[in-house]
Amino acid sequence: MAFSNTRRRYASFDTVASIPGEVIDAFWFIIDYHLKGVFLLEPVINFDLINAQGLLSIQFSQGNSPTKIVVDFDYPFNPKWPSAYRAVDNMGRETIMTAREM
């Protein structure tokens, strides 16, 4: 099962350059506290940033599942951020990257 044997975690250059570290940390928070042990995770999972009345919400989904989960944060949303990110598990090396980097 993907995201169950974490060895190292990374964020791509494009990710680090496009969003604050707090948002990157939010992806890992969602994986660790809302997804692991609850869902069978694929090696690539999707995160979409949503403007929820000026605050950030992050929607999780994955290709072969109809399940979508939205987690709300008390963090200001910036419409200049890319809207789609991916978390990729490559044998325990987990990376957050923009969708365009896939």
Side-chain angles (χ1 to χ4, degrees):
M1 177 166 62
F3 297 95
S4 62
N5 187 24
T6 302
R7 293 192 174 144
R8 295 183 190 250
R9 285 189 164 163
Y10 306 95
S12 69
F13 178 79
D14 200 23
T15 298
V16 172
S18 65
I19 56 175
E22 293 88 352
V23 178
I24 297 168
D25 291 343
F27 296 133
W28 299 125
F29 177 84
I30 292 169
I31 291 169
D32 290 340
Y33 296 102
H34 295 284
L35 303 177
K36 277 186 179 181
V38 178
F39 297 99
L40 184 61
L41 296 173
E42 298 174 7
V44 177
I45 57 178
N46 308 310
F47 290 109
D48 295 306
L49 304 185
I50 300 169
N51 184 352
Q53 299 178 351
L55 296 176
L56 175 65
S57 291
I58 299 176
Q59 178 178 275
F60 153 80
S61 65
Q62 48 187 357
N64 293 324
S65 173
T67 302
K68 293 183 180 189
I69 297 173
V70 176
V71 180
D72 299 322
F73 291 91
D74 190 21
Y75 193 86
F77 179 84
N78 185 334
K80 294 179 182 177
W81 295 336
S83 62
Y85 290 84
R86 304 292 179 259
V88 178
D89 183 350
N90 182 9
M91 298 184 302
R93 293 182 308 265
E94 300 170 0
T95 306
I96 302 293
M97 61 183 64
T98 61
R100 67 179 171 222
E101 291 177 293
M102 287 293 296

